[in-house]
Amino acid sequence: MSAANLVMQSYGRCCASPDFFDSFYRHFLASSPLIREKFVDTDMGAQKQLLRQGILNLVMHARGMPDTKLRALGESHSRQHLDIRPELYDLWLDALLLTISEHDKECDADVRQAWREVLNKGIAVIKAGY
Ligand code: HEM
């Protein structure tokens, strides 16, 4: 199966796990004070819904969707707006992979590698907007 399809199926299993997004933000916020600082004024309930769609955009991009939505994320996360420095995406990726490993019962080394491939491609588009 292609990396994009492995990821699509894995993401379906993750979204069916009720506290997937809670776990992700628990890991992500725990990873650095720099991350916690960025979310001090954020409604985390709303943020979880936005992230659900954001990850879907990364997955759909790997399946051939144009990069319009990712370039918009690049703009909102850029120096002039949210100012998310490129190295913070490493923490984001680590927190997400850890969360996937915990919530997707079928996650193995191939699935993790497929996620890395898919996410890195989309993250490169977002970082390019910094
Ligand atoms: C907002 C997705 C990485 C911090 C958002 C939104 C989405 C999103 C969809 C809401 C819409 C928007 O503002 O454009 C993603 C995706 C990421 C990512 C898919 C990884 C590829 C990061 C990282 C940080 C971060 C690494 C670092 C702290 C924020 C903040 C907001 C935000 C602070 C605004 C929260 C608020 O409204 O208070 N993100 N994001 N994001 N993101 Fe990200």
Side-chain angles (χ1 to χ4, degrees), residues 9-117:
Q9 297 199 352
S10 170
Y11 193 43
R13 292 188 295 271
C14 289
C15 288
S17 178
D19 41 345
F20 178 75
F21 291 93
D22 284 333
S23 301
F24 167 74
Y25 276 110
R26 206 167 333 106
H27 291 313
F28 188 40
L29 294 174
S31 67
S32 163
L34 291 175
I35 303 292
R36 290 194 287 284
E37 190 179 289
K38 289 287 180 189
F39 289 106
V40 278
D41 295 324
T42 301
D43 167 354
M44 293 313 283
Q47 186 64 23
K48 284 169 202 161
Q49 290 309 314
L50 290 166
L51 185 68
R52 177 185 291 268
Q53 188 60 44
I55 294 174
L56 193 61
N57 289 334
L58 291 168
V59 175
M60 297 307 279
H61 176 60
R63 287 166 60 108
M65 199 183 74
D67 63 5
T68 325
K69 296 261 170 58
L70 296 184
R71 284 198 283 127
L73 280 177
E75 172 71 16
S76 67
H77 288 61
S78 70
R79 194 184 268 111
Q80 296 83 358
H81 296 102
L82 292 167
D83 191 19
I84 306 303
R85 293 209 320 270
E87 59 271 22
L88 297 181
Y89 292 87
D90 294 345
L91 299 176
W92 188 93
L93 186 62
D94 288 346
L96 188 64
L97 285 170
L98 175 60
T99 314
I100 293 164
S101 303
E102 290 170 348
H103 288 261
D104 174 8
K105 298 282 176 289
E106 294 175 41
C107 186
D108 60 13
D110 288 347
V111 170
R112 262 190 299 276
Q113 184 49 40
W115 270 107
R116 269 188 194 285
E117 207 177 290

